[in-house]
Amino acid sequence: KTGQHRTQHVEVVRDGEILCGWLTKPRDREATNVAFYMGGRNEDVRWAEDIATWLGPDWAVCTFAYRGRNGSSGVPTERACIEDALEQLAWLSEVFGDKYNDPKTNVTIIGRSIGASLAVLVANELPSSFALENLVLISPPLGLSALAQRVPLLPTLLLPLINTRLDCYKVAGRMKANALVLMAEHDNRVPRGHSAALGALLGGRTTIKTIDGTDHKTLPRSTGALQAVAEFLATDVESVKTTRPTQSPAPQYKVERSGMPGDRHATQDE
């Protein structure tokens, strides 16, 4: 699988700030599916190219470092992060020849921790022409204000983004894309109850799954999580291709538990 994709460094400039990113594309074909990854607080998002290996040769994966992280300039705020992501997604649509408006092309946003909150907020502001089919939320909080009520010292841990609220639960019901919510068995950063509650609020068909043997740091790169994402997208993308509903299905969610242990990889953020 390792030779199926190639990764290139990319840059998007917005409001005078340089935003560094990495685009992983199939080597010998055009991508028919695209995943946009939004990482956690201090996460080195360059690892996201590994996601493409799990998803398969028809997938491209793109990720950008937040302002002030991994070569990107500027200072991150909630509004800046949302608008940066919207600009990056618009840039991606140009890279892929505006294929996001092609009903055969599927777009997935994957967000982890704070990035999961941002993913919901970004999805809420996407233009109606943007073909967002799936959301994958890894350890998603209801929002920073909800976390701060549970952990009084959390503002210190989450600077500088704590100047914002990231209250994605307020718009979660507007999400019509099918969603996968992944939770760690042991998470000392985001309570599983918060993640499950957010999953229940999402407006589309939602699967909520706990990955055994993982914690907040090890969850995203664990074998169990990556396989769960690959299986969810393989099934959901195929169903989207064969039947595109004219109306969104009634909200529903199911809770699953994985018996697969996490692997040795870990991310270095909160």
Side-chain angles (χ1 to χ4, degrees):
K1 289 185 179 181
T2 55
Q4 293 178 336
H5 297 85
R6 56 186 174 85
T7 300
Q8 64 188 97
H9 179 265
V10 296
E11 292 181 351
V12 169
V13 178
R14 196 182 81 79
D15 290 344
E17 303 295 351
I18 298 176
L19 307 173
C20 296
W22 296 267
L23 176 61
T24 301
K25 298 191 294 184
R27 285 186 179 275
D28 58 357
R29 67 187 75 186
E30 292 190 10
T32 56
N33 306 288
V34 183
F36 182 75
Y37 181 78
M38 304 186 72
R41 178 175 62 107
N42 285 330
E43 185 173 349
D44 186 345
V45 294
R46 288 174 292 184
W47 79 269
E49 66 180 0
D50 295 346
I51 298 174
T53 302
W54 282 85
L55 297 184
D58 294 326
W59 280 84
V61 175
C62 186
T63 186
F64 281 84
Y66 298 126
R67 295 186 179 208
R69 301 288 186 269
N70 294 115
S72 292
S73 62
V75 177
T77 66
E78 176 176 343
R79 195 65 234 162
C81 288
I82 292 172
E83 293 180 358
D84 287 349
L86 291 170
E87 181 72 17
Q88 290 155 6
L89 287 164
W91 171 81
L92 266 180
S93 71
E94 296 179 3
V95 169
F96 287 92
D98 203 27
K99 288 185 178 181
Y100 293 157
N101 293 324
D102 182 342
K104 295 181 180 179
T105 301
N106 301 282
V107 180
T108 294
I109 297 180
I110 303 175
R112 186 265 176 132
S113 193
I114 286 177
S117 295
L118 285 169
V120 174
L121 295 171
V122 169
N124 182 57
E125 296 192 26
L126 285 171
S128 58
S129 60
F130 196 96
L132 177 65
E133 297 294 348
N134 302 286
L135 274 173
V136 176
L137 305 177
I138 303 172
S139 300
L142 286 165
L144 294 191
S145 59
L147 281 181
Q149 291 175 8
R150 181 180 184 274
V151 186
L153 295 180
L154 195 62
T156 301
L157 299 175
L158 294 180
L159 287 173
L161 284 177
I162 197 59
N163 292 327
T164 66
R165 300 177 68 86
L166 294 175
D167 288 337
C168 58
Y169 71 90
K170 294 181 179 179
V171 300
R174 302 175 191 170
M175 302 297 104
K176 304 306 178 186
N178 295 331
L180 172 66
V181 175
L182 293 181
M183 304 181 297
E185 181 181 13
H186 307 288
D187 197 322
N188 63 350
R189 295 284 187 250
V190 178
R192 285 194 298 171
H194 283 218
S195 297
L198 181 67
L201 290 173
L202 295 171
R205 176 172 54 82
T206 303
T207 298
I208 303 173
K209 190 169 187 177
T210 297
I211 306 299
D212 289 346
T214 61
D215 58 27
H216 188 80
K217 289 186 177 182
T218 62
L219 174 62
R221 295 182 70 173
S222 69
T223 299
L226 290 168
Q227 183 165 343
V229 172
E231 291 176 350
F232 168 75
L233 293 178
T235 301
D236 206 66
V237 165
E238 196 59 36
S239 67
V240 167
K241 288 181 178 179
T242 55
T243 56
R244 277 183 177 258
T246 55
Q247 295 182 348
S248 299
Q252 53 183 300
Y253 71 99
K254 59 182 179 179
V255 179
E256 298 180 356
R257 189 174 188 86
S258 170
M260 297 190 65
D263 66 13
R264 69 181 187 280
H265 298 295
T267 51
Q268 302 300 316
D269 70 322
E270 307 300 336

